[in-house]
């Protein structure tokens, strides 16, 4: 008799991602020796210890415990080592003890190495964004320290739907509406196997395996925007529009990602055509100069992507550069009436000088 259908589903999702990790690893300079073929398991089923390592990021919740269990099951069968990382954000009393308990649970599953990392959460961008930044910094550090080929994250289709809905509420463009990528981070470090699985399936997999899980009280705290989306906004939408809202929003994410990727590629080519010079200023930073005639001939979506890329190249922080900033810069192209220079975040100034748009940090 095979495993429970939910357990089979999470294992299959992880297996597919691990195959991709193996393909990417075998093509990298760090690839294993030719004497150990990709995906091979030595005699006796024991690994040598020099196989590529894949880490599971685990909070102890149902999604990440299911992820850790599936990784522990699948990785050795594909000739991979499996480890785990849990991050203690220090935002709740007793969080250090809980992190230690989660680490023990991962070891019980057979993961090794396992690490618990305590972080200090700042305030930039609000509590949710600050906690996320601290968490990813810790995961990056752990991946570098252990030489991990990939880090798996337990985001589900429901998480994807929430992300898209938050983007819609902010009035974001197609890139934000594309939600979370299946592969992201430097060198494709982060992988999300469960984006095609709903939260209910993942939770059933934990029940079927009798996995202990921890319910983060922040997930039900209405002071957090994502919590309100999860427990209030999405249920209201499903009641009004019927079942299938989560699936539709997740499908919107994939369609938006395809469009955003195509537009970004177009913008990269167009930027090379309209950039006239990129020269150093007195302070040593580069001043980006763009041809206004060439910019004016581009479709709006492409032109504004070029302007955003140029502003970031000049020193504007990407996280602080919003649509309203780019729209103001765009008016120097499409509605030129002799306006003054526009100031962007990061002390970046955009000025039109004749047939050129000059973007510099000063």
């Amino acid at each position: 008799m095979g495993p429970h259908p939910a357990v089979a589903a999470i294992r299959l999702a992880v297996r597919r991602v691990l195959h991709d990790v193996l393909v990417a690893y075998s093509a990298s300079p760090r690839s294993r020796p030719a004497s150990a073929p990709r995906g091979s398991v030595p005699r006796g089923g024991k690994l040598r210890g020099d196989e590529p390592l894949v880490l599971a990021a685990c909070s102890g919740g149902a999604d990440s415990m299911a992820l850790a269990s599936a990784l522990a099951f699948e990785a050795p069968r594909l000739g991979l080592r499996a480890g785990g990382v849990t991050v203690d954000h220090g935002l709740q009393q007793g969080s250090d003890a809980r992190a230690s308990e989660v680490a023990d649970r991962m070891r019980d599953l057979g993961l090794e190495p396992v690490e618990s990392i305590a972080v200090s959460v700042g305030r930039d961008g609000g509590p949710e964004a600050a906690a996320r930044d601290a968490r990813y910094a810790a995961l990056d550090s752990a991946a570098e320290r252990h030489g991990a080929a990939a880090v798996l994250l337990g985001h589900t289709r429901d998480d994807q739907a929430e992300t898209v809905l938050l983007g819609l509420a902010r009035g974001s463009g197609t890139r934000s509406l594309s939600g979370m990528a299946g592969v992201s981070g430097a060198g494709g470090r982060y992988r999300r196997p469960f984006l095609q699985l709903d939260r209910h399936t993942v939770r059933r997999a934990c029940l079927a395996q009798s996995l202990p899980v921890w319910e983060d009280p922040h997930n039900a705290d209405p002071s957090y925007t994502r919590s309100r989306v999860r427990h209030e906004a999405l249920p209201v939408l499903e009641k009004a529009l019927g079942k299938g809202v989560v699936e539709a929003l997740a499908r919107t994410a994939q369609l938006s990602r395809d469009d955003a990727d195509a537009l970004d590629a177009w913008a990269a080519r167009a930027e090379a055509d309209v950039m006239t010079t990129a020269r150093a200023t007195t302070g040593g930073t580069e001043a980006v100069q763009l041809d206004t005639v060439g910019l004016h001939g581009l479709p709006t979506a492409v032109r504004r992507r070029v302007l955003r890329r140029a502003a970031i190249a000049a020193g504007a922080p990407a996280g602080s550069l919003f649509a309203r900033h780019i729209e103001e810069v765009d008016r120097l192209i499409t509605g030129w009436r002799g306006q003054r220079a526009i100031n962007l975040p990061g002390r970046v100034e955009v000025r039109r000088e004749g047939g050129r748009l000059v973007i510099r940090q000063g």
Side-chain angles (χ1 to χ4, degrees), residues 160-330:
Q160 186 75 296
E162 294 161 9
T163 302
V164 174
L165 202 55
L166 286 166
L168 284 169
R170 290 193 299 265
S172 301
T174 53
R175 179 53 68 191
S176 291
L177 296 183
S178 64
M180 296 174 286
V183 180
S184 64
R189 168 175 291 160
Y190 294 108
R191 310 279 175 141
R192 297 177 173 86
F194 292 168
L195 284 183
Q196 301 302 318
L197 298 179
D198 60 79
R199 190 174 289 138
H200 182 61
T201 297
V202 174
R203 288 183 178 275
R204 277 190 299 166
C206 288
L207 288 172
Q209 299 175 96
S210 300
L211 294 176
V213 299
W214 173 71
E215 297 292 344
D216 185 350
H218 284 165
N219 290 337
D221 186 346
S223 64
Y224 291 94
T225 306
R226 184 174 286 271
S227 176
R228 294 195 301 273
V229 169
R230 179 175 302 177
H231 298 289
E232 299 175 26
L234 273 173
V236 167
L237 283 174
E238 291 208 323
K239 183 178 180 180
L241 303 175
K243 294 293 183 181
V245 170
V246 167
E247 292 86 342
L249 288 170
R251 188 164 58 250
T252 295
Q254 185 56 59
L255 294 172
S256 297
R257 181 166 297 281
D258 293 342
D259 290 348
D261 288 347
L263 288 169
D264 286 347
W266 188 350
R269 294 191 300 270
E271 183 182 39
D273 293 336
V274 300
M275 183 177 291
T276 56
T277 57
R279 56 185 176 79
T281 62
T282 304
T285 58
E286 286 191 341
V288 179
Q289 299 189 23
L290 305 174
D291 173 43
T292 58
V293 175
L295 283 169
H296 195 280
L298 294 172
T300 301
V302 178
R303 182 175 62 249
R304 290 182 177 177
R305 277 171 165 77
V306 171
L307 295 175
R308 178 179 173 83
R309 288 168 61 94
I312 293 172
S320 302
L321 199 59
F322 301 126
R324 66 176 184 273
H325 295 127
I326 303 304
E327 288 169 4
E328 286 297 317
V329 175
D330 195 33

Side-chain angles (χ1 to χ4, degrees), residues 33 54 139 253 320:
V54 178
L139 293 175
S320 302

